Amino acid sequence: MGTLKTEPARTRLDLLAPPVAAAVQVWPGEAPVDVDDVLVAPIDAELADTAAFCEAYEVGLEESANCVVVAGKRGGETRYAACVVLATTRADVNGVVRKLLDVRKASFAPMTEAVELSGMEYGGITPIGLPADWPILVDSRVIATPHVIIGSGVRHSKIALPGPALGALPGARVVEDLAKPA
């Protein structure tokens, strides 16, 4: 995990966006990953973007995951999903994601919508604590990664946790080839 100084997220709720902190506080005891394995580390908010973060904190792109919010419309209704992919890949938004959302066209949700609806900062959105009605689509490569670094809902910290934990989140669905190599 590079040079990050991690500690259990449940002891540093101040480093998490409110919906993420709320999700950590009600982490199910029967979850396949113990809440104490969900770690958080403070970072420089100016270095939150993936490439800058990985370089500054000596984290490999292959252990860094991104969460992007995708939107599509069907019958006048906007459908949202969170896609979790490794930083070495890009979500197949108009292929796999579009089909899974059952919409004619899918695209990245506008920043203002993603921020408002998630309660998280742009560039820090994480699948932990998202609205319950949003599917969380997790690329199978993410859960095959022993530990991944992902956003914490804010730009001034990152979460580190076992990759399989992301596939076990409420509303999560592991998808083969959700992403393509970057």
Side-chain angles (χ1 to χ4, degrees):
M1 290 188 266
T3 60
L4 292 174
K5 306 290 186 235
T6 61
E7 50 194 306
R10 67 180 177 81
T11 66
R12 290 300 310 270
L13 300 176
D14 60 304
L15 292 175
L16 306 173
V20 181
V24 167
Q25 288 177 298
V26 297
W27 197 266
E30 70 280 358
V33 173
D34 189 86
V35 69
D36 288 331
D37 291 331
V38 180
L39 307 174
V40 67
I43 65 164
D44 181 337
E46 297 296 315
L47 299 171
D49 293 332
T50 304
F53 164 77
C54 287
E55 184 177 338
Y57 293 94
E58 300 175 17
V59 171
L61 288 172
E62 68 283 350
E63 58 187 346
S64 182
N66 292 319
C67 179
V68 295
V69 178
V70 176
K73 287 190 178 180
R74 177 77 175 211
E77 169 199 10
T78 301
R79 299 176 183 182
Y80 295 94
C83 299
V84 183
V85 300
L86 292 177
T88 56
T89 64
R90 298 282 177 254
D92 183 2
V93 174
N94 264 310
V96 176
V97 178
R98 178 186 60 76
K99 289 176 187 166
L100 291 171
L101 280 177
D102 190 27
V103 294
R104 292 185 65 218
K105 181 183 171 200
S107 59
F108 296 110
M111 177 181 65
T112 53
E113 280 180 32
V115 167
E116 181 181 334
L117 296 173
S118 70
M120 301 179 200
E121 294 178 7
Y122 189 74
I125 294 176
T126 187
I128 301 168
L130 286 174
D133 59 339
W134 289 10
I136 299 170
L137 308 175
V138 183
D139 186 74
S140 59
R141 287 170 273 235
V142 173
I143 65 156
T145 305
H147 284 88
V148 294
I149 310 296
I150 196 156
S152 63
V154 293
R155 292 182 61 85
H156 63 271
S157 67
K158 293 283 186 179
I159 288 176
L161 74 170
L166 294 169
L169 290 171
R173 177 176 174 186
V174 177
V175 180
E176 286 289 325
D177 299 320
L178 175 67
K180 297 178 179 180

